[in-house]
Amino acid sequence: MPVSLPDLPLLTLPTVADAAAPRLLMLYTGGTVGMAVNKRRELVPMPFDKLDRLMPELRQLAYHIELLALPEPIDSSNVTPADWLLLAQLIGQHYADFDGFVVLHGTDTMAYSAAALSFLLEHLGKPVVFTGAQLPVGRTRSDATRNLLTALEIAAARHPGTSTMRLPEVGLFFDDILIRGTRAKKVESQQFAAFKSENYPPLARAGITLTFADKDIRPLPAARLRVHERLAENVAVLRLFPGITAAVVEAVLGVPGLRGCVLETYGSGNAPTAPWFLDCLEKARQRGVYVLNVSQCQEGRVVQGHYETSARLSSLGVIGGDDITSEAAITKLMFVLGLGLGEAETRRLLSHDLRGEITPQ
Ligand code: ASP
């Protein structure tokens, strides 16, 4: 389902940049960062053309900044794979004209979007930094300005004395840490420190100075950017819990047309050994459903066969997800299945690291 690219205007923000200053494109999708209350006192997304007025600090920046707003700003709970394809296409369309990109996005699904864009933008050589806020811009104590200004600084950062961008990958900046796009998880809905970097160190920390962990950042790609245009939609997530019934497992794994399922297991990838459960997995395998085993734990990794309770999974075709996050796993399934490859290659890609989402053992 490739998306057609609407012709969206760019709005130039007045700044104090000189000719050699980095050129940044800010893509506004919606989210709390740009919300206001409606008549029923609910927060709803607003168009963001007043950004410059609400954030006068932007005028003092020494970067060229252009703003591109998606046609309809949305609460990120309404994000769909079509939005990810559109964002990827827009970044591809403007890739040559900018040094870095900042995506303003709601926090609820930002980790999914950052992971999806990581997969869609293969051989990315420039920064794409997602950020947002827990309080709308303009509100007293809002975190919007600080998050956005730091995200812009990250997107503009070059290796000292060179023109090489410091972050040739998708990242998510929030509060004071920059997280790899495939490692982010929203862990907090009330405090400003809303995201955690799962199973991988943060790529940068913003204190009094902005400190990059260069050794943990992906190297510059050897090939040119390739923007992928397809994501498979027939995927599911099945989270195990003690007491889960055969009817529930059968219903999810038996969805007509299902192509892949993230199985959220216990601990290091363990699952019930009851015959009915193993039978459901076997039937899914026979129907060609790819099952990716991801741990419910927020740290650690899946090691199929470490316990008896995961020993049968590999022979039932279940693919061990290592230390991948659930957010990266579901978007990786959409991406890999969207490539339309044969079984052996699909399995190989699902079990290998593509964008820093797995730490090989
Ligand atoms: N519901 C909002 C969203 O994800 C939450 C936020 O942005 O913080 O769009």
Side-chain angles (χ1 to χ4, degrees), residues 30-33 35 74-77 105-109 133-134 186:
T32 296
V33 62
M35 286 192 184
I74 52 171
D75 185 304
S76 77
S77 299
H105 195 288
T107 59
D108 288 346
T109 60
Q134 294 281 61
K186 184 172 179 181

Side-chain angles (χ1 to χ4, degrees), residues 302-338:
V302 165
V303 186
Q304 291 188 167
H306 185 55
Y307 286 88
E308 188 192 16
T309 43
S310 65
R312 295 280 313 280
L313 298 180
S314 297
S315 63
L316 290 166
V318 176
I319 301 159
D322 277 302
D323 62 345
I324 196 169
T325 66
S326 202
E327 292 83 344
I330 190 70
T331 49
K332 184 176 182 176
L333 261 184
M334 291 180 190
F335 169 68
V336 173
L337 297 179

